[in-house]
Amino acid sequence: MNHRKMQCLAMVLVAALSVLGLAQEAKTLVVGIEADALTLDPGNFRHRETETILRNMFDGLVTRTPDGRIVPELAASWERLSDTEWVFYLRDGVTWHDGAPFTADDVVFTVERTVKEGRISGMTSPRKGLLDPVIDAVAMGPLAVKLITSVPFAALPSFLPHTLIVPKHYIEAVGDERFAANPIGTGPFRFVRWDKGQQVVMERYAAYYGGSTDIPPVGPALVDRVIFRVLPETSTRIAALRAGDIHIATRIPVDLIPEIEADVNLTVMSVRGTRSAFLEMNVNQSPFDDVRVRRAISYAIDVDLIIEFILNGLATPIPTIMSPDSPFYAPLTPYGYDPEKAKALLSAAGYGAGFTVTIDTQPHFRDVALVIAEMLRDVGIDAKVQEWDWGILQGELLAGRRMMHLGDWGNSTLEPNDIMIPKLVTRERGNFSGYSSRVLEGLIDLAERVTVDPEVRRVAYQIAQQVIYDDAPMAFLWVAQESYGVSRKVVGWEPSPDSRINLHDVDLAN
Amino acid sequence: MISYLARRLVQAVPVFLGVTFVVFLLMYLTPGDPVELYMGQAGIVSQEEMARIRHEFGLDRPFLEQYGRFLWGIARGDLGRSIVHRRPVAELIGERIPATLELSLFAALIALLVAIPAGVVAAVRRYSLLDNVGTLLSLVGVSMPGFWLGLILIIFFSVTMRVLPVAGRMAYGTGLEPQTGFLLLDALLQGNGRAALDVLRHLAMPALAMSAGMMAMTMRITRSSLSETIGQDYVRTARAKGVPEGRVVVRHALRNALLPVVTAVALNLGALLGGNMVVETVFAWPGLGQRVVDAVKTRDFPLVQGCVLVYALTYVVLNLAADLSYAFLNPRISHGKEG
């Protein structure tokens, strides 16, 4: 073969390869996500990415707007009959992807499948806890359903966006296992195929009822097809975005943002997330059993400096554990950076000569931990950093064997109980500081189990935050922003604080 | 021969038992509660709920009872149910094996097709320019991390040249319906040329990234083994008898020189078949490597156990295959016959 022939062959080959690569039809939106769905059954997982994917095929009674308000979705409205009874009035004319009408029976079925034992292939839904005080549901006609809670549970609507409604008729016909592999929902996109570990493909459901009237535009989805492509490695996700293989890339770390911004076809979109970061101290052992030492730690950390230089400004300082986006947020003034005050407090507590401590953390917090250790050294504390595998560290922390932990905790409902209980109530599963306050627990109990009066609850949680602030079992740091790499072709999408990616209203420009 | 095979298979049983017991014990002793990890660092979960899940998966039972139940399950062909995925372990492993096999076999094929001829050339023309270049390249191949090589390939072929897809096993829209899970085979069986080409385009970069190490090592071993064999008396005799040089190298020397190569390739293939977690992650290749690493991280005991069982089986089979191939390569070795 001569040189010319070789050249021709090479060109034909390249052309053939390129055409094949571009052969996908128009209006297919591709999202690069870091993990595959664990299942396509909305009742059988605890996993953020699974929920992100399923949210586009299934709707809930209510949903959350990008700015965090709870608004009706499959429900048209709701009212509280008594402290423990709620009625949800459902939208008329909603259909499942097989055309069958959506009714109150589906809601009852979903609630019972979630909260009653042994309802999914003989096992109990791992999402039971997300609806916890709900004990039963009763249909009150085809388009009304009553939810019954065991205690007054004023925060119910905030927890409901996480319960997606599933089809009674379909699951009863095909069984749980087949449903999980080939689901139908009431959402804007219907399921097409799941290549496990690779992609979930869905197409626009033309008969979609339109979604929440509070989140315009209302109507069927704008794109024809959506693919969630699994790309676990961040560098690969960014490469796929730059190569035009995907339109939205999730979880972009701060240090890789410039790489995306350098590409004229791409942009970075950030939103304040719902994870509160903190430095927890073991309040049951010296020196952190002395509140003066704990406050000294708060004064010793220059939170603003870390946000500016390590997090590129993409975080908001918090005075206690609540995010500023929560309706219950108490606008207290953070302790602030004051190393002299820190030293004075340490001296007063008898630690003027300092002490030795190890900051335990996970690899993704290493840079922050190293800077905090440096800041603690400035006030005389000999701080080291140790990185751990989370499985091991979690056990150590729960056993009270560690002194200081840098980490964060998610609060996607933005409800105080959802983060105060696991992090600050005696012997709860995320209470790594070993903190225990009867006052705080009494206030949470008042707000969650005794009253549904909004004003009483608001005041209870304001006081609760003051208690946490004064006791300082943690040095509270920030709520970080979450960043996405987005193609400039994507129109009408904004990232959501709870990290869900709703594609109903999104379009692609040519 | 058959009695030799039967003996080897019987010998494998205690190996399996030993491996499963040690791994079961290690996982049991490793700190980290699968249910705590499953619930993640967010939200409220009551102690009762976690206790119920532990009970559902039998994690609240004594060690020996858990191990006994596991063995009894295997005897009935049941590997249990994953804590994280809440699906049968056999299904979770089964759906990953074709991807890993397809990639490993491709990587091995590329490696051997390049490495053995290169090794032969290097051995025959020792200390020539070709030999030196080959040695240098193989050093690069051995020392280059798969992760880095993978990213370089992606940046060149996908981002800059835009000729290959960044990651994954197949594009959507080629009409391919996976049946066996071996996508190339599926595409060919369905007579879908477009899908076959698409699968090959997806395979190219990960297979190359994965083959680098094996290629380099095989080339080194072929070179050194053949260099040694070529100096043997019987090779000199063959040459003295007037056998052509090419025939001397391939028939007389190479065949004997391949014994250590086969051993090394079998062991290497074992490692490849375990799934290369790094390459799989970079190329979003849904293989066994990613699955087992995730399972260990989340302390998904039943899934880890299942994967380990598959690994043990793979190594036993590959070692057996290597031993059997010795007889083919070297007539002086025979199995099952009295020497």
Side-chain angles (χ1 to χ4, degrees):
Chain A
M1 211 183 303
N2 65 30
H3 189 66
R4 229 188 132 76
K5 271 188 183 165
M6 286 274 283
Q7 260 186 344
C8 281
L9 187 72
M11 279 171 67
V12 168
L13 203 66
V14 167
L17 292 174
S18 318
V19 168
L20 262 183
L22 295 173
Q24 285 185 354
E25 292 159 42
K27 297 267 180 171
T28 295
L29 180 75
V30 188
V31 179
I33 192 167
E34 64 275 20
D36 194 13
L38 294 177
T39 171
L40 300 181
D41 181 344
N44 206 13
F45 66 89
R46 278 282 183 125
H47 187 238
R48 156 173 159 149
E49 288 78 19
T50 303
E51 185 167 347
T52 296
I53 293 170
L54 290 181
R55 203 61 193 54
N56 290 286
M57 297 190 282
F58 293 89
D59 282 349
L61 286 176
V62 302
T63 189
R64 190 178 279 115
T65 61
D67 61 355
R69 284 179 301 122
I70 300 295
V71 294
E73 196 168 47
L74 285 173
S77 62
W78 61 85
E79 62 177 323
R80 197 157 53 212
L81 290 186
S82 70
D83 279 0
T84 57
E85 287 178 314
W86 300 66
V87 179
F88 287 82
Y89 301 99
L90 308 179
R91 289 177 68 142
D92 200 1
V94 177
T95 55
W96 294 99
H97 295 157
D98 64 355
F102 156 78
T103 69
D105 287 344
D106 295 309
V107 179
V108 172
F109 178 77
T110 302
V111 170
E112 290 187 337
R113 194 172 184 259
T114 310
V115 303
K116 298 202 169 170
E117 302 214 347
R119 290 294 177 99
I120 302 177
S121 303
M123 297 172 86
T124 305
S125 169
R127 303 183 75 73
K128 180 172 161 44
L130 294 172
L131 270 185
D132 222 353
V134 176
I135 47 172
D136 209 352
V138 183
M140 301 173 72
L143 292 175
V145 64
K146 182 163 74 178
L147 298 193
I148 302 158
T149 60
S150 57
V151 290
F153 184 41
L156 179 64
S158 298
F159 283 78
L160 281 179
H162 297 286
T163 298
L164 300 174
I165 307 300
V166 297
K168 176 176 193 270
H169 71 287
Y170 184 74
I171 296 177
E172 284 182 347
V174 303
D176 295 306
E177 309 270 337
R178 289 234 349 243
F179 169 66
N182 200 359
I184 61 167
T186 54
F189 295 94
R190 59 177 191 80
F191 173 73
V192 174
R193 68 189 282 165
W194 180 19
D195 297 310
K196 295 197 180 82
Q198 298 183 71
Q199 58 196 1
V200 179
V201 182
M202 41 189 112
E203 282 174 357
R204 176 173 55 182
Y205 177 50
Y208 184 52
Y209 66 94
S212 173
T213 48
D214 293 75
I215 310 176
V218 176
L222 301 172
V223 293
D224 301 310
R225 184 185 295 131
V226 162
I227 299 177
F228 279 90
R229 185 159 294 155
V230 184
L231 298 167
E233 167 58 37
T234 309
S235 313
T236 312
R237 275 203 305 286
I238 294 177
L241 191 66
R242 290 176 57 199
D245 286 10
I246 62 173
H247 301 105
I248 297 175
T250 59
R251 287 218 195 180
I252 304 298
V254 169
D255 53 324
L256 293 177
I257 286 178
E259 190 182 333
I260 294 176
E261 284 176 337
D263 191 323
V264 292
N265 299 314
L266 307 176
T267 180
V268 172
M269 296 176 82
S270 301
V271 64
R272 186 155 61 207
T274 54
R275 300 191 72 83
S276 302
F278 35 70
L279 184 66
E280 286 169 286
M281 292 163 263
N282 187 336
V283 301
N284 297 315
Q285 287 188 38
S286 80
F288 298 127
D289 54 354
D290 187 325
V291 70
R292 289 171 295 187
V293 177
R294 302 202 295 268
R295 289 179 188 162
I297 299 289
S298 289
Y299 284 120
I301 301 172
D302 190 344
V303 173
D304 293 331
L305 190 81
I306 299 176
I307 290 178
E308 188 180 347
F309 288 103
I310 299 198
L311 305 178
N312 280 7
L314 295 174
T316 311
I318 44 174
T320 78
I321 203 159
M322 296 308 299
S323 160
D325 290 326
S326 168
F328 293 91
Y329 173 75
L332 301 165
T333 308
Y335 278 80
Y337 179 55
D338 190 342
E340 293 313 315
K341 210 162 179 176
K343 284 180 195 164
L345 278 166
L346 286 173
S347 293
Y351 293 98
F355 53 86
T356 305
V357 72
T358 301
I359 303 173
D360 299 305
T361 193
Q362 290 172 262
H364 60 271
F365 273 117
R366 180 186 50 223
D367 292 350
V368 172
L370 289 170
V371 174
I372 290 179
E374 196 60 45
M375 289 171 174
L376 295 186
R377 278 197 283 277
D378 286 346
V379 298
I381 298 168
D382 180 18
K384 287 182 303 206
V385 172
Q386 186 170 348
E387 287 176 51
W388 295 73
D389 163 78
W390 178 242
I392 298 174
L393 178 57
Q394 190 180 36
E396 291 289 301
L397 291 168
L398 282 173
R401 283 195 286 266
R402 308 304 306 174
M403 292 305 294
M404 207 172 220
H405 168 239
L406 174 67
D408 63 4
W409 196 269
N411 179 22
S412 63
T413 61
L414 296 171
E415 285 289 331
N417 65 334
D418 194 34
I419 189 163
M420 286 185 184
I421 291 178
K423 289 308 295 178
L424 294 158
V425 165
T426 313
R427 275 192 288 282
E428 274 293 341
R429 71 184 189 107
N431 188 347
F432 304 139
S433 54
Y435 179 67
S436 181
S437 159
R438 294 178 73 166
V439 179
L440 177 72
E441 287 169 27
L443 288 164
I444 295 176
D445 216 43
L446 170 68
E448 300 302 327
R449 289 171 179 270
V450 178
T451 182
V452 290
D453 184 318
E455 187 49 27
V456 176
R457 294 185 71 225
R458 196 189 65 79
V459 173
Y461 279 127
Q462 299 292 308
I463 302 170
Q465 285 169 82
Q466 186 67 53
V467 171
I468 300 167
Y469 182 90
D470 292 339
D471 282 349
M474 314 166 172
F476 298 100
L477 303 174
W478 53 73
V479 174
Q481 302 216 16
E482 295 180 0
S483 298
Y484 297 78
V486 185
S487 159
R488 291 200 185 272
K489 287 182 182 168
V490 174
V491 180
W493 182 70
E494 56 179 314
S496 171
D498 57 6
S499 81
R500 299 192 308 194
I501 300 175
N502 296 336
L503 298 171
H504 166 221
D505 306 329
V506 180
D507 203 354
L508 275 179
N510 286 320
Chain B
M1 181 76 180
I2 290 180
S3 69
Y4 172 77
L5 260 179
R7 204 166 62 236
R8 285 291 299 264
L9 289 177
V10 170
Q11 279 170 1
V13 173
V15 173
F16 279 134
L17 282 178
V19 169
T20 55
F21 184 78
V22 169
V23 175
F24 212 101
L25 187 65
L26 284 177
M27 288 301 283
Y28 187 79
L29 296 176
T30 307
D33 177 347
V35 180
E36 290 274 10
L37 289 171
Y38 175 66
M39 290 300 176
Q41 297 169 63
I44 317 173
V45 183
S46 67
Q47 296 299 334
E48 299 80 58
E49 187 170 9
M50 289 200 282
R52 193 193 63 241
I53 296 176
R54 278 189 202 105
H55 182 71
E56 278 180 342
F57 287 93
L59 299 169
D60 52 351
R61 297 173 200 278
F63 171 73
L64 281 177
E65 189 185 335
Q66 285 188 42
Y67 182 64
R69 280 166 178 268
F70 170 70
L71 285 184
W72 175 235
I74 295 177
R76 290 174 300 139
D78 175 10
L79 292 179
R81 197 175 269 269
S82 148
I83 299 168
V84 172
H85 298 262
R86 301 174 84 82
R87 285 199 283 142
V89 166
E91 200 180 298
L92 288 164
I93 295 177
E95 71 196 23
R96 290 290 172 121
I97 285 179
T100 289
L101 266 182
E102 191 169 68
L103 180 58
S104 325
L105 293 180
F106 248 85
L109 193 71
I110 294 176
L112 296 184
L113 281 181
V114 175
I116 292 184
V120 170
V121 171
V124 173
R125 305 250 181 277
R126 244 189 307 173
Y127 309 122
S128 68
L129 182 65
L130 269 178
D131 181 22
N132 286 331
V133 170
T135 306
L136 187 72
L137 285 180
S138 70
L139 270 176
V140 172
V142 166
S143 33
M144 193 154 44
F147 177 80
W148 186 78
L149 177 61
L151 283 178
I152 295 291
L153 289 173
I154 288 178
I155 287 169
F156 183 72
F157 286 108
S158 304
V159 179
T160 308
M161 302 286 291
R162 299 212 171 189
V163 289
L164 290 174
V166 173
R169 286 184 80 195
M170 58 191 268
Y172 177 73
T174 60
L176 180 65
E177 283 303 324
Q179 272 154 0
T180 62
F182 295 92
L183 295 186
L184 190 59
L185 187 68
D186 285 333
L188 295 175
L189 286 178
Q190 290 162 25
N192 188 339
R194 187 164 157 233
L197 194 57
D198 175 64
V199 172
L200 280 175
R201 278 159 42 85
H202 281 88
L203 255 172
M205 290 194 292
L208 199 61
M210 206 160 160
S211 69
M214 184 176 185
M215 194 187 292
M217 201 206 63
T218 311
M219 189 235 154
R220 303 286 301 155
I221 295 176
T222 308
R223 179 186 178 277
S224 68
S225 173
L226 187 60
S227 307
E228 198 182 303
T229 323
I230 270 178
Q232 300 272 323
D233 288 346
Y234 73 89
V235 175
R236 197 170 343 126
T237 311
R239 281 194 183 124
K241 282 193 332 196
V243 179
E245 183 62 18
R247 202 174 148 88
V248 170
V249 171
V250 175
R251 280 294 298 273
H252 295 257
L254 183 60
R255 198 164 152 183
N256 282 303
L258 281 182
L259 286 180
V261 178
V262 167
T263 312
V265 167
L267 287 176
N268 242 285
L269 197 59
L272 286 189
L273 290 177
N276 183 327
M277 149 60 183
V278 173
V279 171
E280 281 177 9
T281 306
V282 171
F283 289 100
W285 194 267
L288 210 50
Q290 275 191 54
R291 178 129 289 170
V292 75
V293 172
D294 286 346
V296 170
K297 265 196 221 155
T298 54
R299 307 290 191 271
D300 194 341
F301 297 141
L303 189 51
V304 174
Q305 282 299 322
C307 291
V308 167
L309 206 64
V310 170
Y311 286 166
L313 191 71
T314 309
Y315 272 95
V316 167
V317 168
L318 280 175
N319 274 323
L320 187 59
D323 286 352
L324 292 177
S325 72
Y326 293 156
F328 168 75
L329 288 168
N330 189 339
R332 281 174 301 175
I333 301 174
S334 68
H335 299 301
K337 279 183 261 175
E338 291 300 319

